[in-house]
Amino acid sequence: QVQLVESGGALVQPGGSLRLSCVASGRDFSIFPMGWYRQAPGKQRELVADINKSGQTSYVDSVKGRFTISRDIAKNTVYLQMHNLQPEDTAVYYCNTKPSLREWGQGTQVTVSS
């Protein structure tokens, strides 16, 4: 059974930083590209960062230079380091494969507000 468990979200002030973690289990995730997605209120879920099994990364323009995705294959864990957070980064953040599986975790809430 696939499980994706995200953590690390919080309420932070603009300009702050957070590190999100995602532990994946239930299949061999090491062979899949992994991504961090987010869904803001009233908006569709979007892919913001992804990393393949070789460590190559890509980012949506709005987070380039501020977010860094990484993975620890041995731990089946994916991370998202976020710096200089802005109110428009407020969303529920999820991890999944890229493209995504049918299953999703519960996500972790990131709120950027003063």
Side-chain angles (χ1 to χ4, degrees):
Q1 181 181 358
V2 170
Q3 280 197 314
L4 299 159
V5 181
E6 301 93 348
S7 62
L11 169 64
V12 296
Q13 293 187 340
S17 299
L18 283 174
R19 188 193 195 205
L20 307 183
S21 300
C22 170
V23 179
S25 61
R27 66 191 309 173
D28 183 8
F29 285 91
S30 67
I31 64 174
F32 294 100
M34 294 295 295
W36 279 97
Y37 301 73
R38 68 185 180 187
Q39 188 166 21
K43 295 187 177 181
Q44 288 193 329
R45 190 174 294 167
E46 66 169 340
L47 176 68
V48 296
D50 61 86
I51 183 168
N52 67 15
K53 60 181 180 179
S54 299
Q56 292 178 308
T57 59
S58 65
Y59 301 91
V60 69
D61 284 347
S62 60
V63 307
K64 280 182 181 177
R66 301 188 299 122
F67 290 11
T68 302
I69 187 171
S70 60
R71 68 191 296 176
D72 185 333
I73 290 179
K75 295 182 178 180
N76 282 339
T77 302
V78 185
Y79 304 97
L80 187 67
Q81 179 67 55
M82 305 185 293
H83 293 297
N84 192 22
L85 284 160
Q86 300 301 313
E88 53 266 33
D89 296 316
T90 295
V92 180
Y93 285 71
Y94 304 86
C95 74
N96 209 314
T97 57
K98 178 196 173 188
S100 61
L101 300 172
R102 180 179 57 190
E103 298 89 346
W104 290 87
Q106 81 287 351
T108 187
Q109 176 70 49
V110 173
T111 303
V112 186
S113 175
S114 55

